[in-house]
């Protein structure tokens, strides 16, 4: 990572020195640049703090060699971009990396207790130390943010002078200097004391600064600051309430990520040279016009045959959503998932394709009838898969799965035709539930009541966090969705214990609508954990039968019972029922829904209603 300078360094025309020679500030992995330290997030490096810069200058600063393009047409079309780029590598040989800017600018000196902007300490070039005391400066522990995604400095001056007559004046008009010290009596906010040398306001602690209306009571509203796009970048029309946050809080930055599996006919990579041409090609329906366009674009031999181009165009049109004349993003994303489900069900044998094929899905050789008593049908062994995960935007304060697009903060000030993304390769097991048995179970009154309680709670959370109530998407909490979600969690826990996989290296992908009832559990990480066929072996019918039976029996009891199984509401916004970290919850990276919409009782029943669970027959034959 490198912070941008105030001005670009000039080099001679014949100079062999790189055009950029910025100081390095730590390293991050490519995967972290998407999931943890993406655009707009805060990152601590030693004693310093930075915000990752936006993408407006990335076309110039991201080296093509260190940040190559990757293609996934289905996802690119969904996100309205032409291609994706891997974040730049960050190792000893890299010439550049992610750009960062210093944030927050307010720092304190533990020696002289001054609290002021970083530049006012007159630090030596390239160092973050007090120019007087020569000790490391401490970045402000507190920042403010609004639900629109803006980020700003904590208003220390207003906080100190809130009880004085000058409380509504502009910061700094009192003529004093801010001081920050710690009493050391406790580790709470009460021991962090801020004062002003003007003597017109008493020394105050930071206690109470995290109240939801603490800054609103001071008459402060969001100024629309966007420090990741530059110190002067702002959206003055915001005016939303701001809240105090710890600099390292997860609420400061939450990624909005979308992903897609590479499935035929796009999974062999042959269509990659046509990236950027598909919008024009979609306008043509006949082979003659398509051929004329390819002749005009490619001077040499076409990278893809005409038959393949027509097949790709037909596949893309099949994925168009028929739900609405002008489908929303959610409708188009659902259509993308529908095609994945169809391909996972139909399979794609390895022997029929070339070595470049990135999706191999085959039927297991064992006797699948052993799974009939479980209500599980047609498992598939996904021996090769490729997933592209793109960083679409980010949110602050609000969970990205519980917000509308109007609250998503873009990654750049000007529109770009690409997004940062990562590609991961792995393997997995796909299984479905028997539709007849599932429909019968869904009609049980007790099942409907339990799922309706979660759906109502989740819908309330969605409405509370939405800026525009008319754009709130309906909660996906149906009985089959909660059942499949919880089943995926207990299977991941089971395989983590039985097959030796770290739970964080396994991931779920749910297909739960009125016409879909499947779940894909796969290893798709940027490292090599579980990529040698071990997970595929778990999908053989005999192994899968034992795994499901063991997982269901394990889920029957939780160390937090009876509190867990008898819980009437748990989790964020009461969006869980019988689910806790001792039984079915997973690392956040493994779950598509941030560990909400889980209910162990829909698998195994409750003491009062043992027949409530879909797998109750396994426990009470």
């Amino acid at each position: 990572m490198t912070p941008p300078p105030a001005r670009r360094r000039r080099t001679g025309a014949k100079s062999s020195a790189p055009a950029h020679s910025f100081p390095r500030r730590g390293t991050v992995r490519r995967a972290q640049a998407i999931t943890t330290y993406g655009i707009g997030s805060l990152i601590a490096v030693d004693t310093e703090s930075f915000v990752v810069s936006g993408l407006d200058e990335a076309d110039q600063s991201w080296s093509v060699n260190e940040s190559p393009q990757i293609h996934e047409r289905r996802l690119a079309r969904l996100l309205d971009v032409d291609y994706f780029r891997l974040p730049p590598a960050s190792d000893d040989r890299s010439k550049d990396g992610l750009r960062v800017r210093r944030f927050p600018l307010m720092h304190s000196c533990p020696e002289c207790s001054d609290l002021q902007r970083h530049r006012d300490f007159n630090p030596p070039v390239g160092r973050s130390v007090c120019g007087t005391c020569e000790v490391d400066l401490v970045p402000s522990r507190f920042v403010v943010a609004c639900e629109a995604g803006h980020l700003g400095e904590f208003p220390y001056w207003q906080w100190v002078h809130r009880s004085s007559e000058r409380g509504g004046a502009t910061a700094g008009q009192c003529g004093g200097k801010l001081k920050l010290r710690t009493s050391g009596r406790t580790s709470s906010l009460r021991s962090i004391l801020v004062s002003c040398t003007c003597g017109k306001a008493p020394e105050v602690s930071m206690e109470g600064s995290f109240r939801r209306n603490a800054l609103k009571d001071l008459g402060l509203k969001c100024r629309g600051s966007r420090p990741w796009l530059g110190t002067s970048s702002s959206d003055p029309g915001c005016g939303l309430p701001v809240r105090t946050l710890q600099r390292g809080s997860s609420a400061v930055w939450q990624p909005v990520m979308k992903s897609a599996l590479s499935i035929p006919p796009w999974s062999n990579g042959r269509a990659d040279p046509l990236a950027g041409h598909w919008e024009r090609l979609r306008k043509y329906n006949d082979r003659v016009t398509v051929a004329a366009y390819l002749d005009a674009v490619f001077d040499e031999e076409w990278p893809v045959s005409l038959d393949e181009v027509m097949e790709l165009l037909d596949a893309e049109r099949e994925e168009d959503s028929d739900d609405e004349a002008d489908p929303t993003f959610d409708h188009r994303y659902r259509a993308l998932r529908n095609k994945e489900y169809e391909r996972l069900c139909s399979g794609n044998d390895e022997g029929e394709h070339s070595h470049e094929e990135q999706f191999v899905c085959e039927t297991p050789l064992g006797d699948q009838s052993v799974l009939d008593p479980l209500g599980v049908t047609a498992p598939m062994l996904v021996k090769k898969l490729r997933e592209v995960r793109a960083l679409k935007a980010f949110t602050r304060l609000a969970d990205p799965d519980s917000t509308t697009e109007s609250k998503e903060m873009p990654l750049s000030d000007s529109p770009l035709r690409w997004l940062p993304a990562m590609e991961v390769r792995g393997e997995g097991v796909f299984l479905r539930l028997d539709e007849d048995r599932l429909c019968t179970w869904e009609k049980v009154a007790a099942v409907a009541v339990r799922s309706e309680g979660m759906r109502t709670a989740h819908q309330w959370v969605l409405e509370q966090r939405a800026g525009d109530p008319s754009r709130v998407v309906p909660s996906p909490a149906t009985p089959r969705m909660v059942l499949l979600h919880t089943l995926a969690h207990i299977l991941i826990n089971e395989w983590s214990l039985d097959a030796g996989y770290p739970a964080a290296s396994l991931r779920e992908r749910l297909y739960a609508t009125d016409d879909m009832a499947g779940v894909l559990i796969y290893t798709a990480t940027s490292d090599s954990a579980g990529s040698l066929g071990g997970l595929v072996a778990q999908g053989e019918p005999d192994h899968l039968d034992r795994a499901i039976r063991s997982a269901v029996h394990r889920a029957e009891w939780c160390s937090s019972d009876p509190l867990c199984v008898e819980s009437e509401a748990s989790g964020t916004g009461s969006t869980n029922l019988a689910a806790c970290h001792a039984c079915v919850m997973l690392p956040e990276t493994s779950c598509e829904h941030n560990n909400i919409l889980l209910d162990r009782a829909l698998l195994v029943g409750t003491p009062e209603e043992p027949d409530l669970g879909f797998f109750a027959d396994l426990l009470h034959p």
Side-chain angles (χ1 to χ4, degrees):
M1 296 179 301
T2 54
R7 60 183 182 274
R8 180 170 294 181
R9 180 179 177 180
R10 296 181 179 178
T11 58
K14 297 182 180 180
S15 173
S16 60
H20 304 294
S21 181
F22 304 151
R24 298 174 64 88
R25 292 292 189 269
T27 61
V28 295
R29 299 192 305 272
R30 274 177 167 159
Q32 289 179 311
I34 299 294
T35 59
T36 309
Y37 301 125
I39 309 302
S41 66
L42 295 183
I43 178 171
V45 180
D46 296 331
T47 60
E48 300 180 83
S49 175
F50 302 95
V51 60
V52 181
S53 297
L55 297 177
D56 292 292
E57 299 180 358
D59 281 327
Q60 293 76 36
S61 64
W62 287 20
S63 167
V64 176
N65 295 329
E66 298 176 1
S67 177
Q69 293 184 13
I70 58 176
H71 300 279
E72 173 48 56
R73 171 57 188 166
R74 299 170 62 247
L75 186 61
R77 183 186 171 207
L78 174 74
L79 300 178
D80 193 26
V81 295
D82 294 332
Y83 58 91
F84 304 98
R85 292 186 67 179
L86 291 173
S90 182
D91 54 34
D92 294 336
R93 297 171 297 173
S94 60
K95 297 179 180 180
D96 212 328
L98 292 176
R99 299 293 179 84
V100 295
R101 303 174 187 272
R102 190 177 299 279
F103 188 86
L105 298 180
M106 293 295 290
H107 284 61
S108 61
C109 174
E111 188 73 22
C112 62
S113 299
D114 283 353
L115 175 63
Q116 57 192 358
R117 296 173 72 87
H118 184 269
R119 65 169 180 257
D120 295 334
F121 283 98
N122 295 318
V125 177
R127 300 182 62 194
S128 181
V129 299
C130 178
T132 303
C133 307
E134 295 187 354
V135 298
D136 290 334
L137 295 175
V138 180
S140 170
R141 288 174 51 187
F142 311 105
V143 296
V144 297
C146 77
E147 290 192 353
H150 300 119
L151 183 68
E153 305 275 353
F154 182 83
Y156 287 102
W157 194 89
Q158 289 87 344
W159 184 253
V160 171
H161 294 82
R162 66 183 186 272
S163 59
S164 66
E165 296 180 357
R166 304 180 64 88
T170 303
Q173 287 185 354
C174 65
K177 295 183 65 176
L178 293 175
K179 297 282 186 176
L180 184 146
R181 68 181 183 90
T182 302
S183 67
R185 295 180 179 178
T186 68
S187 59
S188 67
L189 294 175
R190 184 179 301 177
S191 294
I192 302 176
L193 304 173
V194 186
S195 61
C196 183
T197 58
C198 69
K200 299 177 181 178
E203 185 178 55
V204 298
S205 74
M206 292 297 295
E207 186 177 26
S209 60
F210 282 76
R211 288 189 299 108
R212 180 175 291 271
N213 294 324
L215 301 182
K216 181 179 179 181
D217 294 341
L218 298 181
L220 299 177
K221 295 182 179 180
C222 180
R223 298 180 179 179
S225 300
R226 300 184 295 182
W228 63 97
L229 299 179
T231 54
S232 60
S233 178
S234 64
D235 181 10
C238 181
L240 290 175
V242 289
R243 288 178 54 189
T244 305
L245 296 172
Q246 290 269 15
R247 174 164 48 89
S249 170
S250 60
V252 170
W253 187 83
Q254 288 283 341
V256 179
M257 299 182 62
K258 298 299 178 182
S259 67
L261 300 180
S262 295
I263 59 173
W266 307 94
S267 53
N268 56 15
R270 289 180 53 81
D272 293 353
L274 296 177
H277 299 286
W278 289 110
E279 293 305 320
R280 288 182 175 271
L281 287 171
R282 278 175 58 87
K283 299 177 182 179
Y284 310 133
N285 295 320
D286 60 285
R287 297 170 62 91
V288 175
T289 310
V290 172
Y293 178 85
L294 295 176
D295 274 331
V297 171
F298 299 101
D299 296 333
E300 302 176 355
E301 183 180 357
W302 300 345
V304 185
S305 68
L306 181 59
D307 290 337
E308 287 178 294
V309 174
M310 299 307 296
E311 180 187 1
L312 292 168
L313 287 173
D314 290 340
E316 186 165 289
R317 293 187 180 105
E318 286 180 7
E319 202 162 308
D320 290 338
S321 175
D322 298 328
D323 294 337
E324 295 181 357
D326 184 16
T328 64
F329 182 88
D330 294 300
H331 284 102
R332 289 184 284 122
Y333 194 48
R334 195 177 309 146
L336 180 145
R337 287 294 186 100
N338 288 344
K339 279 298 175 184
E340 290 180 2
Y341 182 77
E342 292 177 9
R343 178 54 67 174
L344 286 166
C345 292
S346 60
N348 193 45
D349 291 342
E350 184 173 17
E352 300 176 1
H353 301 278
S354 65
H355 180 70
E356 288 75 21
E357 178 61 46
Q358 299 167 335
F359 181 84
V360 175
C361 181
E362 299 178 346
T363 303
L365 300 177
D367 182 11
Q368 299 186 26
S369 63
V370 299
L371 299 174
D372 292 343
L374 306 179
V376 175
T377 183
M380 299 293 286
L381 308 181
V382 186
K383 296 183 177 180
K384 288 176 63 177
L385 65 82
R386 172 181 179 261
E387 181 189 24
V388 175
R389 301 175 190 165
L391 178 62
K392 176 177 179 281
F394 63 87
T395 66
R396 304 198 196 278
L397 298 178
D399 189 347
D401 286 338
S402 303
T403 186
T404 60
E405 292 185 48
S406 61
K407 290 189 177 182
E408 293 178 0
M409 184 58 68
L411 307 181
S412 61
D413 197 15
S414 57
L416 296 177
R417 295 304 302 168
W418 62 275
L419 288 172
M422 58 182 289
E423 59 177 350
V424 289
R425 303 172 190 272
E427 59 189 13
V429 175
F430 174 72
L431 57 89
R432 287 179 285 166
L433 297 182
D434 181 79
E435 190 67 33
D436 293 336
R437 179 170 170 177
L438 184 60
C439 290
T440 302
W441 174 81
E442 286 177 314
K443 295 177 182 178
V444 176
V447 170
V449 169
R450 288 189 72 90
S451 61
E452 179 62 23
M454 280 186 289
R455 191 204 65 80
T456 302
H458 189 222
Q459 192 67 41
W460 181 85
V461 171
L462 294 174
E463 293 172 356
Q464 288 295 111
R465 293 178 174 175
D468 183 0
S470 64
R471 300 182 62 183
V472 177
V473 297
S475 170
T478 61
R480 71 170 59 198
M481 182 271 168
V482 178
L483 172 65
L484 284 166
H485 191 198
T486 313
L487 174 62
H489 277 229
I490 67 168
L491 275 177
I492 289 176
N493 278 329
E494 179 67 23
W495 284 333
S496 175
L497 295 171
D498 185 54
Y501 291 96
S505 72
L506 300 179
R507 187 175 173 88
E508 67 180 4
R509 195 167 181 88
L510 304 179
Y511 302 90
T513 60
D514 292 340
D515 54 353
M516 295 192 298
V519 58
L520 171 66
I521 299 176
Y522 61 106
T523 63
T525 61
S526 55
D527 57 24
S528 59
S531 61
L532 300 176
L535 183 60
V536 167
Q538 302 300 316
E540 290 292 342
D542 290 340
H543 292 168
L544 187 59
D545 175 64
R546 290 194 298 268
I548 293 177
R549 290 179 183 274
S550 177
V552 170
H553 280 280
R554 198 185 304 276
E556 185 181 16
W557 182 85
C558 171
S559 59
S560 296
D561 282 342
L563 294 178
C564 178
V565 73
E566 294 178 357
S567 173
E568 296 181 358
S570 65
T572 304
S574 301
T575 49
N576 285 336
L577 288 178
C580 70
H581 287 284
C583 52
V584 300
M585 287 189 177
L586 294 175
E588 295 291 345
T589 55
S590 301
C591 180
E592 280 196 308
H593 294 279
N594 296 315
N595 276 328
I596 65 172
L597 307 181
L598 295 165
D599 184 16
R600 185 164 49 95
L602 293 185
L603 293 174
V604 299
T606 64
E608 293 77 15
E609 297 177 292
D611 297 331
L612 178 68
F614 183 84
F615 297 101
D617 292 344
L618 302 183
L619 304 173
H620 312 287

